Amino acid sequence: MSFAFDLPPAARIGQPAESIDTPSLVLDLAVFERNVERMQAAADKAGVKLRPHAKAHKTPDIALAQIARGAVGICCQKVSEAIPFVRAGVRDIHISNEVAGPAKAALLAELARHAHLSVCVDDLRQIDALAAATLAAGSQLDIFVEVDVGQGRCGVADGDAALPLVERIAAHSQLTLRGLQAYHGGIQHLRGWDERREAAARAADRTGNAVARLAAAGVRCDVVTGGGSGSVEFDLSSGVYTEIQPGSYVFMDADYGSNAYTGTMRFEHGLFIATAVMSVAAGDRVVVDAGLKSMAVDSGLPWIWEKNAPSNSLDYVAANDEHGIVRPKQEGAVDALPPLGSRMMLVPGHCDPTLNLYDELVGVRGGVVACIWPISARGLSR
Amino acid sequence: MSFAFDLPPAARIGQPAESIDTPSLVLDLAVFERNVERMQAAADKAGVKLRPHAKAHKTPDIALAQIARGAVGICCQKVSEAIPFVRAGVRDIHISNEVAGPAKAALLAELARHAHLSVCVDDLRQIDALAAATLAAGSQLDIFVEVDVGQGRCGVADGDAALPLVERIAAHSQLTLRGLQAYHGGIQHLRGWDERREAAARAADRTGNAVARLAAAGVRCDVVTGGGSGSVEFDLSSGVYTEIQPGSYVFMDADYGSNAYTGTMRFEHGLFIATAVMSVAAGDRVVVDAGLKSMAVDSGLPWIWEKNAPSNSLDYVAANDEHGIVRPKQEGAVDALPPLGSRMMLVPGHCDPTLNLYDELVGVRGGVVACIWPISARGLSR
């Protein structure tokens, strides 16, 4: 028997949102647009360029929407991740990361023939590899020296340590030093607003010192790039960054939602996992059909979202591969449990690796499916 | 400028394993085959059928290898997950889970026209939905009543609670009761061998009681299915299960590797993430290019694998989206840190959701790439 059989789509344009198949990744388009505009307006007001991080969404349609509203380009975290964005017409991409090995340098140099690309370095040998690859490809590459301003990951320690790299970059006509990258991921998730403000101030100090050290040596940094969704209000007013690279603000996951915020820089939750109750056989819990394969739990379990806020009555308490266990917040309050087949919207704990699990993002407006965006960079980690 | 540009493959058949692009998911084929054969031999010896769980690998080539060595079919955890296996020629698939909603029931009923399919129930309304869908599709479906034997997830409480479901199944000629599913996932990860043995004995007791209760009511269970990679030696000798459904044994992740084992039922680690050192700028750590988007960390961080064992000198201590931080086990022993560009093999903490991140599994034999298997069910959670 022949088998010509394809999985029906999870959603069709024009269909009511409540009939999207589960589990599916759903974007509230009105919230998304407000988040994009709020960040752009804040950057414009501060006179700082916005280069959103595409590792959060991996979705060319989102990058194009950000650029249409004023973003100068995007960041990607891996070279392969940039390919679908170049294919979709994005022409200015910063690889906010170091690149390991000649194969990746060659890929980057080849991509640089099709778009304006920059990349980070923190080692002389990376520069040599990039110089050889761009020479072979006949392309030009902009280079940022990464400075570790407290994250404890990649990057040289300070301006002094950056100087030999700056010199080596200058030795290659196909490489151009554009400035410094100074990103501190840990700050983004500090819960208290004052705590984040102080940590961001320390990182900005270290960044400013590195810029000053280079200036004293006669090296100008046209661009100083850094900052994220949790620190952006401080980064914008620091006077140090010429460009910010937040990513998660378009979605707001539960982890970012657990931060305390003041003022206008709080973004709205727009990303959801639509899930359905598949078992109610036990009286004290229900089981939903979204688990570890439908969401990343590295930053905590998802929130159950009801009436535009985290549920008052239910908790998602455990994730198995393809199951989620939902219990009443109040022990014994089993009347709060939803019936078999009913639907729930979850706010994932961490948006970036959750997007990386899906091929499509279903956009909803006014209760109706309005678009289905391919998550084209899903799985591109090379 | 037109952009006809594709990402080069991570690996090509015949290429040395040490030049596979990073991060990539790599399978040691000799280990894999020994694991498959060891489980099959144990099941054969016990006179119990082996129906491996395909949620662990999502890879039709692996399912076909398991069936070629004697497996009676496979399990899938979701209806959509079964599609690529049916397409690859697998003709006997048990959906070891309940199904929520008419769309999924219709999909299952349609698939049942192309292969022998069974599914679990724990609610009368699920049976009604399956009856309607199979009637509409003109297909037949085998049904298992799921009994909760201690997992605390899906399933009815005991044999008494199964009886009304059995009656309802009997009312539909296109549905056939095949028996009971009694799976306890929690047991698999109990660390102590005695602890697992005792917990498996309790679950087997509850399973046996349910079978006896049905028998007393004149209901025969031809098949009693359950068991996993961590409990299989006890399940096989329990006398209760006619069929076991382990999945992870083909790979052995770090979580299963942390269990204590005795006797011959210890499986070998065969699944690895190939990663490369991308930054050595800090003296006290190195940064590798595999993070949260290259492995699931819900069951812990990966092991660094050296000389066929977990590394004595290095620890993978933190995962960011696209970075892993590696430090010496012994504080200050920085001589143990590997150089820029060097490669490392990681054993992931949890294999199932790690497979769900990749499109391809690179099979290696004798240090050379021998096959590249599509992970065709990757992302199929509906």
Side-chain angles (χ1 to χ4, degrees):
Chain A
M1 185 175 0
S2 83
F3 182 65
F5 187 88
D6 282 314
L7 181 62
R12 289 188 169 87
I13 289 172
Q15 161 186 339
E18 58 264 32
S19 65
I20 298 167
D21 198 12
T22 61
S24 283
L25 197 62
V26 173
L27 182 65
D28 182 324
L29 290 168
V31 169
F32 162 72
E33 288 160 8
R34 285 199 295 273
N35 286 342
V36 169
E37 283 160 14
R38 183 167 294 142
M39 186 65 88
Q40 188 66 53
D44 290 348
K45 191 173 166 201
V48 169
K49 287 179 172 137
L50 173 60
R51 180 183 293 277
H53 215 305
K55 82 180 177 70
H57 55 68
K58 289 181 167 283
T59 304
D61 290 285
I62 291 185
L64 295 173
Q66 292 170 316
I67 290 166
R69 282 168 180 80
V72 298
I74 60 168
C75 294
C76 287
Q77 198 74 325
K78 294 290 187 87
V79 179
S80 65
E81 191 176 55
I83 294 175
F85 294 98
V86 175
R87 189 175 288 131
V90 177
R91 284 292 165 265
D92 193 331
I93 301 180
H94 172 53
I95 310 292
S96 58
N97 206 357
E98 287 69 20
V99 162
K104 289 181 172 57
L107 180 62
L108 180 59
E110 180 60 31
L111 261 185
R113 298 180 57 225
H114 303 275
H116 180 217
L117 278 168
S118 56
V119 67
C120 291
V121 298
D122 67 1
D123 193 289
L124 294 171
R125 290 162 290 181
Q126 294 156 355
I127 299 168
D128 295 343
L130 293 169
T134 43
L135 198 64
S139 58
Q140 294 280 327
L141 211 46
D142 281 357
I143 309 290
F144 286 77
V145 176
E146 182 162 28
V147 182
D148 180 7
V149 292
Q151 160 101 331
R153 195 168 68 186
C154 305
V156 299
D158 52 25
D160 277 331
L163 282 171
L165 303 182
V166 167
E167 249 175 67
R168 186 70 66 99
I169 295 163
H172 299 286
S173 61
Q174 71 277 28
L175 305 182
T176 305
L177 177 74
R178 287 287 286 158
L180 299 181
Q181 172 167 297
Y183 174 71
H184 189 330
I187 294 176
Q188 312 304 320
H189 310 283
L190 296 175
R191 292 294 175 235
W193 187 84
D194 281 330
E195 203 185 353
R196 281 205 311 288
R197 183 171 51 81
E198 287 157 24
R202 285 192 297 275
D205 267 359
R206 290 177 69 164
T207 307
N209 289 342
V211 173
R213 177 69 191 90
L214 291 188
V219 179
R220 204 182 67 184
C221 292
D222 286 337
V223 181
V224 180
T225 186
S229 297
S231 65
V232 70
E233 57 194 309
F234 317 117
D235 304 325
L236 286 175
S237 61
S238 69
V240 171
Y241 298 97
T242 69
E243 183 179 282
I244 53 167
Q245 44 176 259
S248 304
Y249 72 99
V250 296
F251 300 134
M252 281 296 283
D253 54 33
D255 184 59
Y256 271 112
S258 300
N259 283 357
Y261 296 88
T262 70
T264 58
M265 289 303 280
R266 170 156 200 141
F267 297 89
E268 300 170 67
H269 296 284
L271 182 75
F272 305 98
I273 295 150
T275 186
V277 176
M278 47 174 283
S279 172
V280 299
D284 61 343
R285 61 182 180 268
V286 301
V287 182
V288 297
D289 66 356
L292 297 173
K293 289 181 181 167
S294 303
M295 67 188 71
V297 301
D298 59 272
S299 302
L301 293 172
W303 292 344
I304 297 171
W305 195 250
E306 291 174 340
K307 299 177 186 159
N308 217 23
S311 171
N312 284 323
S313 57
L314 298 171
D315 274 327
Y316 184 112
V317 297
N320 299 159
D321 279 0
E322 298 281 18
H323 301 89
I325 311 290
V326 173
R327 290 186 184 274
K329 267 187 198 293
Q330 197 190 326
E331 206 185 315
V334 296
D335 287 353
L337 288 171
L340 185 69
S342 61
R343 299 163 61 84
M344 229 173 248
M345 298 297 264
L346 307 176
V347 176
H350 188 182
C351 55
D352 305 41
T354 296
L355 267 284
N356 195 42
L357 296 170
Y358 289 87
D359 291 301
E360 290 179 343
L361 182 57
V362 181
V364 168
R365 194 188 300 278
V368 170
V369 175
C371 62
I372 298 170
W373 286 339
I375 305 173
S376 310
R378 196 270 325 147
L380 296 180
S381 282
R382 289 197 277 142
Chain B
M1 186 174 2
S2 81
F3 182 66
F5 187 89
D6 283 313
L7 181 63
R12 289 188 168 87
I13 289 173
Q15 161 187 339
E18 57 264 33
S19 64
I20 297 167
D21 198 12
T22 61
S24 284
L25 196 62
V26 173
L27 181 65
D28 182 323
L29 290 168
V31 169
F32 161 73
E33 288 160 7
R34 285 198 295 273
N35 285 342
V36 169
E37 283 159 13
R38 184 166 295 142
M39 186 64 87
Q40 188 66 54
D44 290 348
K45 192 173 165 199
V48 170
K49 286 179 174 140
L50 173 60
R51 180 183 293 277
H53 215 305
K55 82 180 179 69
H57 55 69
K58 287 181 168 283
T59 304
D61 290 286
I62 291 184
L64 295 174
Q66 292 170 316
I67 291 166
R69 282 170 181 79
V72 296
I74 60 169
C75 294
C76 286
Q77 198 74 325
K78 295 288 187 89
V79 179
S80 66
E81 192 177 55
I83 294 175
F85 293 98
V86 176
R87 189 174 290 132
V90 177
R91 284 292 166 264
D92 192 331
I93 301 179
H94 172 52
I95 310 292
S96 57
N97 206 359
E98 286 70 20
V99 161
K104 288 181 172 57
L107 180 61
L108 180 59
E110 179 60 30
L111 261 184
R113 298 179 57 225
H114 303 274
H116 180 218
L117 278 167
S118 56
V119 67
C120 292
V121 297
D122 67 2
D123 192 290
L124 293 171
R125 291 162 290 182
Q126 294 156 354
I127 299 168
D128 294 342
L130 293 169
T134 43
L135 198 65
S139 58
Q140 294 280 327
L141 210 46
D142 280 357
I143 308 291
F144 286 77
V145 176
E146 182 162 28
V147 182
D148 180 7
V149 292
Q151 159 102 332
R153 196 168 68 186
C154 306
V156 298
D158 53 25
D160 277 330
L163 282 172
L165 303 182
V166 167
E167 250 177 65
R168 186 71 65 99
I169 295 163
H172 300 284
S173 62
Q174 71 276 28
L175 305 181
T176 305
L177 177 74
R178 286 287 285 158
L180 298 182
Q181 173 168 295
Y183 175 72
H184 188 330
I187 294 175
Q188 312 304 320
H189 310 283
L190 296 175
R191 292 295 175 234
W193 188 84
D194 281 330
E195 202 185 354
R196 283 205 309 290
R197 182 171 52 82
E198 287 158 23
R202 284 193 297 274
D205 266 1
R206 290 178 69 164
T207 306
N209 289 342
V211 173
R213 177 70 191 89
L214 291 188
V219 179
R220 204 181 67 185
C221 291
D222 286 337
V223 181
V224 180
T225 186
S229 297
S231 64
V232 71
E233 57 194 309
F234 317 117
D235 304 325
L236 286 175
S237 60
S238 69
V240 171
Y241 298 97
T242 70
E243 182 180 283
I244 54 167
Q245 44 176 260
S248 303
Y249 72 99
V250 296
F251 299 135
M252 280 296 283
D253 54 33
D255 183 58
Y256 271 112
S258 299
N259 283 357
Y261 296 88
T262 70
T264 58
M265 288 304 279
R266 170 157 199 138
F267 297 89
E268 300 170 66
H269 296 283
L271 182 75
F272 305 97
I273 294 149
T275 186
V277 176
M278 47 173 286
S279 172
V280 299
D284 62 343
R285 63 182 178 268
V286 302
V287 182
V288 298
D289 65 356
L292 297 173
K293 289 180 182 168
S294 303
M295 68 188 71
V297 300
D298 59 273
S299 303
L301 293 172
W303 291 345
I304 297 171
W305 195 250
E306 290 174 341
K307 298 176 187 161
N308 217 24
S311 172
N312 284 322
S313 56
L314 298 172
D315 274 328
Y316 184 112
V317 297
N320 299 159
D321 279 0
E322 297 281 18
H323 301 89
I325 311 292
V326 172
R327 290 186 184 275
K329 267 187 200 292
Q330 196 189 325
E331 207 186 316
V334 296
D335 288 353
L337 289 170
L340 185 69
S342 62
R343 300 162 61 85
M344 227 172 250
M345 299 298 263
L346 308 176
V347 176
H350 189 181
C351 55
D352 305 41
T354 297
L355 267 284
N356 195 42
L357 296 170
Y358 290 86
D359 291 301
E360 290 178 344
L361 182 56
V362 181
V364 168
R365 194 188 300 278
V368 170
V369 174
C371 62
I372 298 169
W373 286 340
I375 305 173
S376 310
R378 196 270 322 146
L380 296 180
S381 282
R382 289 198 277 139

